[in-house]
Amino acid sequence: GWNVPAPPQAVAQAKAALAGLSQDGQPRPKALDQLGHAGAEHPPGVGSDAVCLELAVLCTCNLALAMGDLVGIARPSDDLPRVLAARPRCNAEVMLKNVQVTRQMVEATWQPLLAAMQTTMSVLSQPALLEQLLNAYCAFTQTCAVLQLVGPRDKALGNLCKSALPGGDGSQVHLEVHNVLITKALLHLAFELGGVFGQTWATVLEVLQRLDAALFERGVVGGEGESASKASVAALPGSPMTAAGWIGGRLDTELVRLRASLDLLFEQSTTLDDENAVVLLSALCRVSMSSVSEQRPDIVGGGTASKVERMFGVEKIVEVVLHNLSRLGRLWEVATSQLSRVALHPRATVRQKGMSCTTQLIIAAFKHRAAQRRNASAATEEANEDQQPETPVPEQEESPSAPWSPGPQGHRPDFDMERRLLAVYEELYRCNYEDTKAYVLEGLYEVLQSCGEEVGPAWPLVLAMLKGVAQDEEERHVRVAFDCVQLIRTDCSALPVDCLQLLLTTIGAFGFQGSDLNISLTAITLLWNIADFFGRERQALLSAFSEVDFHPDVPRKSIGEDGTIVEDADQMSEEDLHHQQVHNVDQLWLVLYHQLRVLSVDPRIEVRNSALRSLFTALETHGNVLEQASWIQVVHELLLPVLNDVRGSATESQSDEPVEQKLGAGGGGGAGGNAGGEMMMIHHSRNTVGKQWHATWDTAFQGVTRMFKTFFPIINSLSTAQDAWEALMSHLESVVLHVVSQSGSHKVAAAAMGAVRDLVGAHVDQLPQPCWRAVWDATDRAVTKATENEGFDSKAVREVLKVLGEIQALAQPGSGLLERDNILCLVRLLDRLAFASSLSANGKGPSPLQTDVLEDLKNVTNSFPNQPAQDQPLLWIHTLNTLMAHLPVPHNKYEWGTPSTAQGKHPPSPPLTAAILAIIADLFNTRIPANVQARVFETVFIGLLLALCSKHSDTQPGIWMAGAEALVAVASAGAAAMNANEEMEEGEKSKVWMRLCSGLRSFLLPTDDEIKPEGHEVLDEAQSAEQVDMAVANCILYDLLPQASSSEARAALLSILEGAVVELLVIPTVQVSKPSRPYRYHLADQCLEGLFDLAANEVFAQGPGVDEGVVACDPEQARALAKLAAPMLMRACHRILQEYVRDEAEASSCPLPRARTEQVVSAARRLQSLELEPEVCRHLYEEFGPKATPTVTQPVETANGGNETRIGRSGRRGHLLLLYGPMCQCISSNNPMLRDSLRSMLEIIGWEVGLG
């Protein structure tokens, strides 16, 4: 058996070691020398010495085996043990009998014995003898362990580890025969003594790690089976084994057995107690660190590129934990602390390995716990079935079929394990390695996908971590994390009910992140889907809340149905408990709505608009399930704050910065090299930041208004309903004012008003008056403030007021909403818009918008008849005063007329003023009722007269000419209405008439100080002005005179005509460059003709042939007018004739102006043909004829038998008799036409006095 040569160094070591085995203490150099020179044949003469050496080795082995027998240790068999012993195995009875003797033997011999066996082990190359030695060595080591001699045991194990697989510097490990046998012995001891190894595990595991690497290099891989391993070994080139007994195939067998034993060792770790299991795991951690340390190379095979990296320690940690899941709580921190270090290793491949192992363990742990719960549930059901019917069944901690678990507030004793499992992910995500973070999220996704229903109490941790990922806004990680959120959303029932709030806030965080727009939009969709889920599972939610005492962390104002706060009580009634559960469910709704509210101010228009639409749609769909108290929060913490948030963001984001982006990759036109940098086309209504925020504001306001409309009965029943309504109207004011002032889109303001109109129209019958009043007040303030500034959006204001008029039309008679103040407000606002300075059309006429607004103003008056009778006069007066406030005021001061406080403050352009005057006339004649006409006639007429008098100080004739037209239009109807008004006293009417007469005189007969001649330098303008004056004179003659209520008024009006006649006499006899006043011959002639007609009583004659449009007058009144007109006519004619003769004489050879000549001729001819009524003639003669001769008059008998005095023979020519003197003076006139008329008149006078 000594045919295998021993190495020379081993011989030297054996010489020293075997010397201690001799009885006399002297070495045997001859035997050792022979041992070192042993060959195929024994040297001659030394056989006895070799036998002695073999006997010595056998004796040493027998000594060790004998001590093992004394403690009851079984002799090792060929097959290695397959069960890891928690304690050293022995025959306890035998051990107890011999424990003292064996201890003494071991203590006396363990040092030389171990040294001898170690030395011999290192020099023996004969497998059979080495196996015997190793069996003895194992028996002695087991004996030390049984006797609890730790020092000898650890020394034996240490020596064995050193001899098994030398190395450890990363170099390739060669498996020699003695290495295989020693390692086999070490594995045997590991199975036998693994339960008491303690810290020795670290040394043993270092050897096992090298064994694993060596086996891997030789192709012996665990899990492939023995035959496959042999085939792999046979395929390897050049086996280094030379022992004849092993070359036959035993080596392959042993290698396969070693692999199986190595794998089985860790599988059998379940037999260890908790303490030793932790010790084993800790040792594996130390080994794993050495295997992945940067200071030493990876455990890879021979530099072959195709070999994969080996991480023995990490893999065995996973293996141990997987086989000890039943006591995971004791092992988890130890294992994950090491795996975390591996996951944070500087090398990427190592980090990947660490994360994959971590995820593998977490999934296995969750599945194991799920299996345990299923088994426990099955066992409980079987136990319940075995119980007697009368035996009550104990209440289960949780029902597998329940859709909602009670969460951390439950009574599961190990609920914290789930948190501990997933806390590893939370800690690892805080690292600086991006790939590790990605592995964490991918691993979390795998966990949720495979066993998400088992997460249980760890949901808050998971959701908080995902929320943190969203807040970090790292695009790569956000996508994976959002996949996790979507996976969670697919089965919300797996979440504890108290985690739903956190789920909502987590989804909200993903909506607000800015790294990926699609994720934000999808997050909003998830919130909407959860809203539907809440609606479907409301009863399940109520049941879940009844199982837990949970209150979502949302501020609340009340829980009572009437909106009052209910104090918490130690004991609540069943009804109160149910009410509390309902409130808790409502708070989940509010959390969901709050997330959408936060997203409604996202900088991205797509996100905020989607959030707003989802918010309002969800609330509109599911709002009816909310209790009344929750609606206080909906209104004051959701709807109105949404408007606040959007308003604030829109105000702060006013910018004309374009939002178009360049097309192509990176905004540079793409791979094709779009050098032009083409921009993405965006509609002009939203191509800037400001316009986009206006659109969002519009969406928000219309949505909130729609909610008020949909849930008006609920909101109106709240104690804070009025406050909510006023706040909504305040936002209406803000949106209108902001859009109008900033020249925003007029469609936004119109849409906002339209939303309010729809809201009011839907509930006009239920709308309280304060709410109605708030609509008007808000619009009034907005438009008033907006129109005070230059550059406001007039179209937007017009749209707002148009809708406001539609709102007013919604009110029905008797509803209590037809307040006159509303109409007055609308009139005032339309007026402000129509006459805003920014709307002027450069004097060319009203702008189209102004024309439309004025038409709107007229249309407002259509509603006046529907108002109470007592309010109609005030409405008309206010409307007319509002319009007249824009009429011009002359610079001159008149006693007869003082303008209103508003008149003249905002003088518009002349064309616009003309339009106003036309509207005033149209309203007065066609719409204002008679009783109102009587009350407003004086105000209107005086206002128009003031506008007329601006003729004398204004160079623009368009205004006063239009005023004259309006005055003529309203004169007749207004005077008739005033006369018919029984509420006015006669004295009051008389004063009004006198004021009107004074005003007309100031217009037609201004003084020299009141006239600006430069206003009439142009002939065409002077002629047009005279035509207007003639129209006013006609109005006096045919409209006002017949309706004047007193003789004083009639006399005043006639004096105006007389003054117009004699005014022509001021024409100078010599031509001047600039006359002081205009010469109005046609006006004078018209007025003179009118006096002749009045005196002759031919203007108001009754019967056929009367001119259409002439006011009818009774005979007595017509005769009275003739009596008043005749004296004035006589005075005018007397003056005309007399002054003509005088001026003609003074002019000498220069002819008088043609107008003077034509006037005197016309007067003479009319006097020639004039015939007065006898009564008028007598009245005239009584006033001017006391000095007349008696021959002029004669008594005449009347038809009724009385007598009357007749002037002259005909009784109708008395006026000629009175003018006899001036006619005689005119005989010397150079005007032949005048002399002809005088000759005829003198003949008539002669006939009247009886001379012809």
Side-chain angles (χ1 to χ4, degrees):
W2 293 94
N3 55 350
V4 179
Q9 295 180 355
V11 174
Q13 295 176 3
K15 290 178 180 179
L18 292 177
L21 297 178
S22 60
Q23 297 180 357
D24 56 0
Q26 298 297 324
R28 295 186 173 181
K30 186 176 182 180
L32 293 177
D33 292 340
Q34 295 299 322
L35 183 62
H37 293 82
E41 298 180 0
H42 292 291
V46 296
S48 60
D49 292 330
V51 172
C52 290
L53 178 57
E54 183 176 359
L55 290 175
V57 172
L58 293 176
C59 290
T60 303
C61 295
N62 290 333
L63 175 61
L65 292 171
M67 285 187 286
D69 294 337
L70 289 175
V71 295
I73 295 175
R75 298 289 179 91
S77 61
D78 291 339
D79 295 330
L80 294 175
R82 293 299 179 180
V83 178
L84 180 62
R87 291 290 183 267
R89 283 189 280 260
C90 66
N91 190 321
E93 183 178 353
V94 175
M95 185 271 295
L96 291 175
K97 293 180 179 179
N98 305 313
V99 63
Q100 294 297 333
V101 175
T102 309
R103 179 180 289 272
Q104 292 177 3
M105 293 174 62
V106 173
E107 289 177 349
T109 61
W110 72 272
Q111 291 182 347
L113 187 58
L114 286 179
M117 285 192 292
Q118 174 66 22
T119 303
T120 307
M121 187 188 311
S122 62
V123 300
L124 287 179
S125 299
Q126 212 285 331
L129 186 58
L130 183 57
E131 283 187 289
Q132 296 183 39
L133 180 62
L134 290 174
N135 289 339
Y137 196 93
C138 292
F140 180 78
T141 305
Q142 290 178 259
T143 301
C144 295
V146 170
L147 298 175
Q148 299 182 1
L149 298 174
V150 179
R153 181 202 67 187
D154 292 346
K155 183 66 175 176
L157 290 173
N159 293 336
L160 194 61
C161 290
K162 292 178 182 179
S163 303
L165 294 173
D169 57 354
S171 60
Q172 183 176 5
V173 179
H174 296 281
L175 290 176
E176 304 293 345
V177 176
H178 66 280
N179 299 125
V180 174
L181 294 177
I182 296 173
T183 305
K184 180 179 177 181
L186 181 61
L187 280 172
H188 172 79
L189 291 176
F191 275 100
E192 293 294 330
L193 307 179
V196 295
F197 266 3
Q199 299 304 320
T200 308
W201 268 116
T203 306
V204 174
L205 291 175
E206 288 286 349
V207 178
L208 298 182
Q209 179 177 251
R210 293 194 292 273
L211 173 63
D212 178 76
L215 293 175
F216 182 78
E217 288 297 325
R218 298 184 67 88
V220 184
V221 182
E224 295 184 0
E226 184 174 347
S227 60
S229 298
K230 289 181 179 180
S232 299
V233 174
L236 292 175
S239 177
M241 313 314 317
T242 58
W246 285 73
I247 295 176
R250 184 177 176 189
L251 178 61
D252 295 342
T253 303
E254 292 299 334
L255 291 177
V256 173
R257 288 182 176 180
L258 285 176
R259 168 56 68 186
S261 299
L262 181 61
D263 295 339
L264 186 60
L265 176 65
F266 297 100
E267 296 176 6
Q268 293 295 327
S269 59
T270 55
T271 61
L272 300 178
D273 56 23
D274 292 347
E275 182 178 356
N276 284 289
V278 172
V279 170
L280 172 61
L281 205 57
S282 300
L284 283 171
C285 291
R286 289 193 291 271
V287 172
S288 65
M289 282 306 298
S290 65
S291 66
V292 297
S293 175
E294 285 185 304
Q295 286 75 26
R296 49 187 308 181
D298 293 340
I299 307 296
V300 294
T304 305
S306 62
K307 301 299 183 180
V308 296
E309 185 174 14
R310 300 293 293 174
M311 297 183 188
F312 174 81
V314 176
E315 295 172 354
K316 295 309 175 184
I317 288 174
V318 175
E319 188 175 343
V320 169
V321 174
L322 290 177
H323 288 92
N324 289 272
L325 292 175
S326 58
R327 48 180 174 183
L328 185 63
R330 293 292 304 274
L331 308 179
W332 183 248
E333 278 69 21
V334 179
T336 54
S337 63
Q338 178 57 27
L339 292 177
S340 298
R341 286 192 289 270
V342 175
L344 301 178
H345 194 271
R347 289 160 52 192
T349 55
V350 177
R351 293 195 297 269
Q352 182 181 13
K353 180 67 173 180
M355 285 308 309
S356 64
C357 292
T358 302
T359 300
Q360 179 185 359
L361 288 182
I362 292 175
I363 294 175
F366 275 116
K367 290 184 177 180
H368 176 76
R369 294 177 64 79
Q372 282 184 321
R373 282 193 292 271
R374 288 193 297 269
N375 295 337
S377 177
T380 302
E381 292 178 359
E382 293 179 0
N384 292 338
E385 293 176 359
D386 295 338
Q387 291 178 351
Q388 297 298 325
E390 64 274 6
T391 304
V393 178
E395 185 178 356
Q396 300 299 317
E397 294 179 358
E398 65 172 314
S399 173
S401 60
W404 301 93
S405 59
Q409 289 76 11
H411 304 287
R412 289 164 45 189
D414 57 348
F415 72 89
D416 192 54
M417 193 62 224
E418 287 83 355
R419 298 176 189 267
R420 292 163 60 189
L421 289 172
L422 294 176
V424 180
Y425 281 154
E426 182 185 34
E427 181 180 356
L428 289 174
Y429 191 79
R430 300 178 187 150
C431 72
N432 297 325
Y433 296 108
E434 294 299 320
D435 57 342
T436 299
K437 291 183 178 181
Y439 296 146
V440 167
L441 297 175
E442 292 170 1
L444 181 59
Y445 182 82
E446 292 182 24
V447 171
L448 297 176
Q449 191 175 36
S450 59
C451 45
E453 65 280 0
E454 304 299 329
V455 174
W459 279 118
L461 184 147
V462 172
L463 294 173
M465 186 178 73
L466 294 174
K467 183 177 180 181
V469 175
Q471 294 170 344
D472 291 342
E473 298 191 7
E474 298 180 11
E475 183 176 0
R476 173 187 177 187
H477 306 324
V478 168
R479 292 177 181 176
V480 181
F482 190 66
D483 290 340
C484 297
V485 173
Q486 289 181 294
L487 191 60
I488 296 171
R489 162 61 194 92
T490 56
D491 188 11
C492 289
S493 60
L495 286 173
V497 71
D498 54 345
C499 293
L500 292 175
Q501 175 184 334
L502 186 54
L503 173 63
L504 295 174
T505 57
T506 301
I507 296 176
F510 278 96
F512 205 73
Q513 56 80 32
S515 61
D516 193 313
L517 175 62
N518 289 332
I519 288 179
S520 298
L521 297 177
T522 308
I524 295 173
T525 304
L526 289 183
L527 290 174
W528 167 243
N529 293 338
I530 291 177
D532 287 342
F533 177 77
F534 285 171
R536 295 192 307 269
E537 299 293 339
R538 181 173 178 80
Q539 292 301 322
L541 286 170
L542 292 174
S543 301
F545 276 116
S546 66
E547 298 176 8
V548 295
D549 183 18
F550 172 69
H551 307 280
D553 187 16
V554 176
R556 51 182 295 191
K557 291 187 176 181
S558 63
I559 60 174
E561 293 182 355
D562 58 351
T564 59
I565 297 177
V566 176
E567 299 293 338
D568 293 336
D570 295 337
Q571 294 183 351
M572 301 179 66
S573 64
E574 185 174 337
E575 181 179 357
D576 292 338
L577 287 174
H578 175 73
H579 187 69
Q580 184 67 46
Q581 296 162 14
V582 172
H583 178 76
N584 289 339
V585 176
D586 286 357
Q587 297 313 298
L588 286 178
W589 282 105
L590 294 178
V591 173
L592 186 149
Y593 295 146
H594 178 74
Q595 301 308 308
L596 294 172
R597 168 198 160 185
V598 172
L599 290 169
S600 65
V601 291
D602 190 273
R604 299 160 294 181
I605 184 175
E606 301 89 352
V607 175
R608 59 179 182 259
N609 285 352
S610 177
L612 286 171
R613 288 192 292 267
S614 298
L615 170 62
F616 297 132
T617 305
L619 184 59
E620 187 174 21
T621 305
H622 304 288
N624 289 321
V625 303
L626 298 176
E627 60 179 351
Q628 186 178 23
S630 298
W631 268 102
I632 295 181
Q633 294 175 262
V634 170
V635 173
H636 294 281
E637 299 178 15
L638 180 66
L639 296 179
L640 296 178
V642 162
L643 292 179
N644 288 332
D645 297 341
V646 173
R647 175 176 61 184
S649 298
T651 304
E652 295 173 0
S653 302
Q654 281 307 306
S655 173
D656 292 332
E657 177 183 357
V659 294
E660 291 93 342
Q661 298 178 356
K662 288 185 178 181
L663 296 174
N674 190 355
E678 294 183 4
M679 304 297 291
M680 178 187 300
M681 296 298 295
I682 298 179
H683 194 267
H684 65 85
S685 63
R686 56 181 182 273
N687 60 353
T688 65
V689 175
K691 291 179 181 179
Q692 288 187 350
W693 273 108
H694 281 162
T696 300
W697 201 350
D698 177 29
T699 302
F701 187 83
Q702 291 199 55
V704 172
T705 308
R706 190 171 81 247
M707 295 305 100
F708 271 74
K709 174 185 175 182
T710 303
F711 301 102
F712 182 82
I714 298 176
I715 297 176
N716 194 39
S717 65
L718 300 178
S719 59
T720 58
Q722 185 61 31
D723 294 339
W725 186 269
E726 291 180 356
L728 179 63
M729 293 303 105
S730 175
H731 284 286
L732 172 65
E733 175 185 352
S734 297
V735 68
V736 172
L737 180 60
H738 181 79
V739 172
V740 170
S741 301
Q742 299 295 329
S743 296
S745 174
H746 65 276
K747 295 182 180 180
V748 176
M753 288 297 299
V756 175
R757 175 199 58 205
D758 296 341
L759 168 60
V760 172
H763 305 284
V764 65
D765 297 335
Q766 308 172 25
L767 193 68
Q769 284 193 358
C771 296
W772 176 267
R773 182 74 261 163
V775 177
W776 290 89
D777 291 344
T779 311
D780 184 7
R781 291 191 300 267
V783 175
T784 301
K785 293 177 182 177
T787 53
E788 289 175 354
N789 303 321
E790 293 291 339
F792 69 91
D793 190 342
S794 54
K795 291 184 178 180
V797 175
R798 198 234 171 173
E799 292 291 340
V800 169
L801 297 182
K802 183 178 180 181
V803 178
L804 190 62
E806 295 173 358
I807 292 176
Q808 172 61 29
L810 294 173
Q812 300 297 326
S815 63
L817 303 181
L818 291 172
E819 299 182 2
R820 67 184 184 190
D821 292 342
N822 298 343
I823 301 178
L824 297 178
C825 172
L826 185 56
V827 170
R828 178 171 53 82
L829 295 179
L830 286 169
D831 172 74
R832 289 184 66 91
L833 176 60
F835 303 103
S837 60
S838 61
L839 299 183
S840 64
N842 299 322
K844 297 181 180 179
S847 66
L849 179 61
Q850 286 176 320
T851 303
D852 294 339
V853 174
L854 290 176
E855 188 64 27
D856 293 341
L857 184 59
K858 288 178 61 177
N859 294 334
V860 171
T861 61
N862 294 332
S863 63
F864 288 3
N866 298 328
Q867 307 305 311
Q870 65 272 17
D871 291 339
Q872 293 183 26
L874 178 62
L875 292 172
W876 283 112
I877 292 173
H878 175 82
T879 303
L880 292 173
N881 286 337
T882 301
L883 293 172
M884 293 175 62
H886 303 285
L887 298 181
V889 175
H891 299 301
N892 304 317
K893 304 297 181 182
Y894 301 100
E895 295 181 357
W896 52 265
T898 302
S900 64
T901 56
Q903 185 171 352
K905 284 189 176 182
H906 308 287
S909 63
L912 184 57
T913 305
I916 298 172
L917 292 168
I919 290 176
I920 292 175
D922 180 65
L923 292 177
F924 192 91
N925 287 328
T926 61
R927 303 195 184 190
I928 299 179
N931 63 324
V932 180
Q933 284 181 333
R935 297 183 59 176
V936 302
F937 175 67
E938 179 183 9
T939 302
V940 172
F941 207 87
I942 295 298
L944 295 176
L945 284 173
L946 288 172
L948 287 175
C949 290
S950 67
K951 163 188 178 181
H952 310 306
S953 56
D954 196 321
T955 59
Q956 297 184 1
I959 296 178
W960 67 267
M961 288 183 177
E965 184 179 354
L967 183 141
V968 171
V970 304
S972 178
M978 184 176 64
N979 290 337
N981 187 10
E982 299 179 356
E983 297 179 359
M984 295 182 64
E985 298 180 356
E986 292 300 325
E988 184 179 358
K989 294 179 182 178
S990 178
K991 290 181 181 179
V992 172
W993 276 105
M994 295 309 297
R995 289 186 64 192
L996 301 183
C997 294
S998 299
L1000 290 170
R1001 173 173 287 276
S1002 297
F1003 170 66
L1004 290 175
L1005 305 174
T1007 63
D1008 292 339
D1009 297 334
E1010 299 171 348
I1011 296 177
K1012 285 189 176 182
E1014 61 271 16
H1016 306 278
E1017 291 180 350
V1018 181
L1019 179 61
D1020 293 341
E1021 292 183 358
Q1023 291 176 348
S1024 299
E1026 186 176 11
Q1027 293 295 325
V1028 175
D1029 293 343
M1030 293 172 64
V1032 175
N1034 271 333
C1035 177
I1036 294 173
L1037 181 63
Y1038 297 107
D1039 294 332
L1040 297 180
L1041 268 175
Q1043 300 188 74
S1045 63
S1046 64
S1047 60
E1048 292 84 355
R1050 291 191 288 271
L1053 292 173
L1054 290 172
S1055 68
I1056 297 173
L1057 301 178
E1058 180 187 4
V1061 173
V1062 301
E1063 183 188 44
L1064 195 63
L1065 302 178
V1066 301
I1067 300 177
T1069 57
V1070 296
Q1071 187 175 2
V1072 296
S1073 60
K1074 182 181 289 187
S1076 61
R1077 62 173 60 237
Y1079 305 140
R1080 298 179 292 182
Y1081 167 76
H1082 297 287
L1083 174 64
D1085 186 69
Q1086 179 185 2
C1087 292
L1088 182 61
E1089 182 182 4
L1091 289 175
F1092 273 100
D1093 292 342
L1094 286 172
N1097 197 11
E1098 295 179 356
V1099 177
F1100 307 109
Q1102 305 295 314
V1106 176
D1107 294 339
E1108 184 180 356
V1110 176
V1111 177
C1113 185
D1114 62 84
E1116 291 299 327
Q1117 187 177 359
R1119 189 173 294 110
L1121 284 174
K1123 291 179 179 180
L1124 290 174
M1128 294 183 183
L1129 175 63
M1130 291 302 99
R1131 284 193 296 268
C1133 291
H1134 186 278
R1135 187 175 175 182
I1136 290 172
L1137 295 173
Q1138 193 174 35
E1139 292 191 8
Y1140 180 80
V1141 173
R1142 184 194 65 192
D1143 292 342
E1144 187 181 37
E1146 292 178 354
S1148 182
S1149 61
C1150 296
L1152 291 177
R1154 181 180 178 181
R1156 292 288 302 277
T1157 303
E1158 291 180 355
Q1159 184 186 38
V1160 71
V1161 172
S1162 175
R1165 290 176 176 177
R1166 288 189 176 104
L1167 285 172
Q1168 179 183 349
S1169 60
L1170 176 64
E1171 292 184 4
L1172 302 176
E1173 290 184 359
E1175 185 178 349
V1176 174
C1177 191
R1178 284 194 299 272
H1179 173 75
L1180 181 64
Y1181 219 78
E1182 289 173 358
E1183 186 171 346
F1184 292 102
K1187 298 179 181 181
T1189 57
T1191 58
V1192 177
T1193 61
Q1194 55 181 342
V1196 177
E1197 183 177 356
T1198 62
N1200 56 6
N1203 294 320
E1204 63 178 12
T1205 300
R1206 176 179 294 179
I1207 306 300
R1209 181 180 296 179
S1210 65
R1212 292 178 177 273
R1213 303 282 185 164
H1215 58 284
L1216 295 178
L1217 297 176
L1218 293 176
L1219 295 175
Y1220 180 77
M1223 282 189 278
C1224 291
Q1225 296 176 4
C1226 291
I1227 293 176
S1228 61
S1229 173
N1230 296 325
N1231 190 331
M1233 291 183 291
L1234 177 59
R1235 289 196 303 268
D1236 289 344
S1237 298
L1238 289 174
R1239 185 178 61 249
S1240 299
M1241 286 188 291
L1242 289 175
E1243 292 176 355
I1244 294 174
I1245 292 174
W1247 183 84
E1248 288 290 336
V1249 296
L1251 296 179

